Amino acid sequence: MNHDAYPDSYIREILNGVKSIAMVGASPVNVRPSYFAFKYLAQRGYDMIPVNPGHVGKNLLDKPFVASLADIGRPVDMIDIFRNSSHIMPVVEEALRLDPPPKVIWMQLGARDEAAAARAEAAGLKVVMNRCPKIEYGRLSSEISWMGVNSRTLSSKRAPVPTQGMRLSLNRTSVGGGETAASDRAAKNRNDAT
Amino acid sequence: MNDRLPGFATLAVHAGAQPDPTTGARVTPIYQTTSFVFNDSDHAASLFGLQAFGNIYTRITNPTTAVLEERVAALEGGTAAVAVASGHAAQVVVLQQLLMPGDEFIAARKLYGGSINQFTHAFKSFGWNVVWADPDDIGSFERAVTPRTRAIFIESIANPAGSITDIEAIAAVAGKAGVPLIVDNTLATPYLIRPIDHGADIVVHSLTKFLGGHGNSLGGIIVDAGTFDWSRDNKYPMLSEPRPEYHGVKIQETFGNFAFAIACRVLGLRDLGPAISPFNSFLILTGIETLPLRMAKHCDNAKAIAEFLSGHAAVAAVNYSGLAGNPYNNLARKYAPKGAGAVFTFSLKGGYEAGVSLVSNLKLFSHLANVGDTRSLVIHPASTTHSQLDDAAKARSGAAPDVVRLSIGIEDKEDLIADLEQALEG
């Protein structure tokens, strides 16, 4: 894989395929990029697991922090690493010891470790470096276009409604209460005449 | 069709636009609304905290304008764009992200007269100091660099004389100085020149001109190339440092290669306020759909008219870089092989008086202060767009007193030539 220019098809397949994502270095501080990404991906339906030994005992958006990947205790599809490049290798080594191992290693914007990527790819995992899954999801879905960002996608199909399906609500304010409408008055007058 | 790179004309029609999810409307609707309801209070908080993509208020984002932004970003090959009320507003918003009071930027002397004014006078009150350099002398840019330099600003095709700037040479100076190169690409449009391909880090436009193309709407836009690292030193705190107005968010760290566009939007547009009207965005967007067709016709007409004027006995000189023998012809062939634009100047043997007489005799050309319209336009820069400059500065910027500027439209060229012919005889 050329880690300088991923085809959209590669990223799309990963984001369509994974269901659970463990985020290593997730922060409960709501101005940190990891918090933004965690919240966004959780809202898109991914099963998010925050991994950060400094916050065990606390929750991130109702999900309990775990100290390490080994503590998750169930299979996980993707590891999203929110750490500096110098801290990537130990996380990848830990991920490869999981049984079953994850399918994808994703290193955040600014994070690259060629050796760790090579090791994960040799074990059959897909690797993404120096990208943000929130930005890529927003770009490929074109939601990020609302911010004037170039999604580098085109479509002539009607877009899906941005929230959970278009179900028209019955909870609208009714206008009425009495003989306010001309048609009501007309009907009443007709009855009066007969 | 997986990962195929679409051509320019396809992007001009499609980029950024998609049938409306609610109604199925195929043309981008005009979302003429000030504000947008939130799903709930958590959604509102997420939007205000920059955690979610979405609309709050048309001063910051608008769905019609967003289509325009993505389309221009795609045509220029940038990562993102921010549309604003005018080309002038684009320049203010860009420099607000880059300069603190006391900082400097280097600008080419050959610029639209309004930009020369804005840089010289208006920006002085912000403490932003312009240092002028000569686009025909690359060394003058190198010599102008100081520790306070924060950006270099040029026009790709310079107003009013249509001269071509050596973008790559000046990009090299910017790269060495560690500052971004800003290119005003208004007169070229991305159809003729894509400055990002030649090393520009930021592209600005007056959308009012060829992009909108019909002389009906003001607008400006900023395109982020996504190429500049704002955090490698402490020169650009708006992008690299925690922003107090967003509780400590660092813009580049959070938004990566479209951080500059986000800064322009959430720090510039939000706080300075020069938002474009959604209706203007709609009209400009409609104009862009035919940009490739119009630019080809503009350039074809301009070349024919420049050739006609070159051979006319009353004409002293024609400054059109598309003509062989023009000092900028080599640069035009390199940077704008599809055409040298449609704005140029010429001077008459009869001097200033002959120019005034020509303008008053023309019947199809409109005498007004704009360029890049479907209609052909004429003006005398020395007494209008460049009138605030002294005579030496007028001459340096290509607006000497005997010079007339044309912006060639998309009428039949035979009719335009006939109009010029009768006016020159009159």
Side-chain angles (χ1 to χ4, degrees):
Chain A
M1 177 51 57
N2 171 10
H3 291 288
D4 291 320
Y6 301 106
D8 283 356
S9 50
Y10 181 73
I11 302 288
R12 193 180 286 123
E13 191 182 328
I14 289 173
L15 292 176
N16 273 332
V18 304
K19 293 188 167 50
S20 53
I21 303 175
M23 185 180 284
V24 177
S27 170
V29 179
N30 71 0
V31 298
R32 299 299 301 153
S34 62
Y35 178 91
F36 286 26
F38 189 96
K39 182 175 179 180
Y40 181 88
L41 294 170
Q43 286 172 341
R44 296 299 169 286
Y46 292 104
D47 173 14
M48 299 299 295
I49 303 144
V51 183
N52 191 329
H55 296 289
V56 173
K58 290 187 247 172
N59 288 338
L60 180 49
L61 301 173
D62 300 328
K63 310 281 184 183
F65 275 99
V66 297
S68 69
L69 295 178
D71 292 344
I72 295 173
R74 58 188 166 93
V76 59
D77 296 328
M78 175 167 128
I79 314 292
D80 182 13
I81 307 175
F82 257 96
R83 303 294 310 273
N84 293 337
S85 300
S86 58
H87 294 96
I88 301 291
M89 185 61 97
V91 180
V92 171
E93 286 171 342
E94 191 186 358
L96 293 177
R97 284 196 298 272
L98 293 176
D99 184 22
K103 302 182 183 81
V104 180
I105 299 286
W106 189 302
M107 304 175 204
Q108 268 298 325
L109 216 51
R112 272 190 92 121
D113 183 334
E114 306 288 344
R119 190 172 306 182
E121 286 178 331
L125 278 63
K126 286 186 174 156
V127 175
V128 176
M129 297 195 284
N130 190 27
R131 290 284 189 281
C132 172
K134 174 188 173 184
I135 290 172
E136 295 303 309
Y137 193 107
R139 187 175 70 77
L140 292 173
S141 66
S142 177
E143 185 185 5
I144 204 169
S145 300
W146 291 346
M147 304 298 285
V149 174
N150 185 2
S151 69
R152 307 201 308 277
T153 62
L154 301 179
S155 174
S156 62
K157 296 284 181 282
R158 187 166 171 168
V161 174
T163 50
Q164 291 120 24
M166 185 154 155
R167 197 188 61 179
L168 297 178
S169 169
L170 301 179
N171 299 327
R172 295 162 57 85
T173 298
S174 289
V175 177
E179 297 168 1
T180 53
S183 59
D184 291 348
R185 286 196 299 276
K188 185 165 181 286
N189 290 342
R190 279 195 296 274
N191 288 337
D192 286 349
T194 51
Chain B
M1 167 108 186
N2 207 18
D3 291 11
R4 186 187 147 78
L5 188 66
F8 189 90
T10 302
L11 292 175
V13 172
H14 287 282
Q18 194 171 356
D20 182 62
T22 306
T23 62
R26 185 60 188 92
V27 170
T28 300
I30 306 168
Y31 290 95
Q32 192 72 24
T33 179
T34 55
S35 356
F36 302 84
V37 292
F38 305 116
N39 299 345
D40 50 44
S41 55
D42 185 57
H43 179 228
S46 293
L47 286 173
F48 273 95
L50 303 180
Q51 293 166 9
F53 309 119
N55 300 298
I56 299 173
Y57 196 65
T58 285
R59 175 155 45 79
I60 307 167
T61 62
N62 175 278
T64 309
T65 301
V67 176
L68 170 65
E69 291 165 337
E70 184 172 4
R71 184 157 308 167
V72 177
L75 293 176
E76 286 285 7
T79 54
V82 182
V84 294
S86 68
H88 259 34
Q91 291 169 182
V92 179
V93 169
V94 163
L95 291 178
Q96 185 218 3
Q97 312 318 313
L98 302 179
L99 273 72
M100 293 289 151
D103 286 343
E104 297 170 0
F105 68 107
I106 302 168
R109 279 184 203 290
K110 285 188 176 152
L111 294 183
Y112 161 53
S115 295
I116 294 175
N117 269 329
Q118 187 191 42
F119 294 178
T120 306
H121 304 295
F123 288 175
K124 192 188 278 178
S125 62
F126 300 163
W128 303 343
N129 300 315
V130 62
V131 180
W132 298 104
D134 180 357
D136 299 331
D137 172 14
I138 303 302
S140 69
F141 283 84
E142 288 173 341
R143 291 189 295 276
V145 174
T146 76
R148 298 305 297 262
T149 306
R150 292 293 178 271
I152 297 179
F153 185 100
I154 60 174
E155 290 179 359
S156 53
I157 298 183
N159 194 338
S163 51
I164 311 282
T165 306
D166 191 347
I167 301 170
E168 288 175 13
I170 297 174
V173 176
K176 205 171 144 200
V179 302
L181 175 64
I182 307 164
V183 178
D184 180 340
N185 199 33
T186 298
L187 294 192
T189 81
Y191 177 76
L192 297 179
I193 300 177
R194 300 212 316 170
I196 291 170
D197 295 344
H198 301 291
D201 299 295
I202 298 162
V203 174
V204 294
H205 280 279
S206 167
L207 295 168
T208 314
K209 311 302 187 307
F210 292 100
L211 280 166
H214 293 72
N216 56 22
S217 306
L218 290 190
I221 202 160
I222 301 153
V223 182
D224 184 354
T227 47
F228 198 85
D229 180 3
W230 306 102
S231 303
R232 75 182 144 190
D233 46 36
N234 55 7
K235 281 200 271 193
Y236 304 102
M238 295 285 271
L239 289 124
S240 64
E241 300 307 307
R243 293 311 309 172
E245 49 287 66
Y246 291 104
H247 308 292
V249 167
K250 295 180 189 174
I251 302 284
Q252 183 178 17
E253 177 191 53
T254 306
F255 295 102
N257 67 6
F258 55 94
F260 185 76
I262 293 289
C264 287
R265 188 181 303 286
V266 304
L267 303 175
L269 201 43
R270 188 195 71 160
D271 293 346
L272 299 176
I276 188 170
S277 154
F279 185 59
N280 283 17
S281 294
F282 172 82
L283 290 172
I284 293 165
L285 203 46
T286 304
I288 289 174
E289 294 185 4
T290 57
L291 178 70
L293 300 173
R294 286 187 291 106
M295 288 311 289
K297 178 81 168 167
H298 278 295
C299 291
D300 182 53
N301 281 359
K303 186 148 192 283
I305 287 161
E307 282 166 353
F308 160 75
L309 289 170
S310 300
H312 198 283
V315 174
V318 177
N319 301 304
Y320 183 60
S321 66
L323 293 179
N326 180 278
Y328 299 98
N329 190 241
N330 284 340
L331 287 171
R333 286 168 191 274
K334 173 178 179 177
Y335 287 105
K338 284 190 279 192
V343 175
F344 64 92
T345 59
F346 67 103
S347 52
L348 292 165
K349 288 178 182 163
Y352 177 76
E353 295 305 324
V356 169
S357 159
L358 170 83
V359 169
S360 70
N361 289 341
L362 286 163
K363 293 184 167 65
L364 273 180
F365 282 79
S366 304
H367 180 205
L368 55 75
N370 190 29
V371 295
D373 196 324
T374 50
R375 284 150 281 265
S376 290
L377 314 173
V378 61
I379 203 165
H380 179 237
S383 61
T384 55
T385 56
H386 290 64
S387 62
Q388 290 91 341
L389 309 182
D390 61 36
D391 282 351
K394 278 176 186 161
R396 273 200 306 268
S397 64
D402 59 338
V403 163
V404 173
R405 184 185 74 186
L406 299 179
S407 171
I408 303 301
I410 58 173
E411 304 97 329
D412 288 306
K413 61 190 166 198
E414 296 79 6
D415 295 328
L416 298 174
I417 289 171
D419 192 27
L420 284 163
E421 199 156 31
Q422 65 81 23
L424 286 166
E425 279 163 14

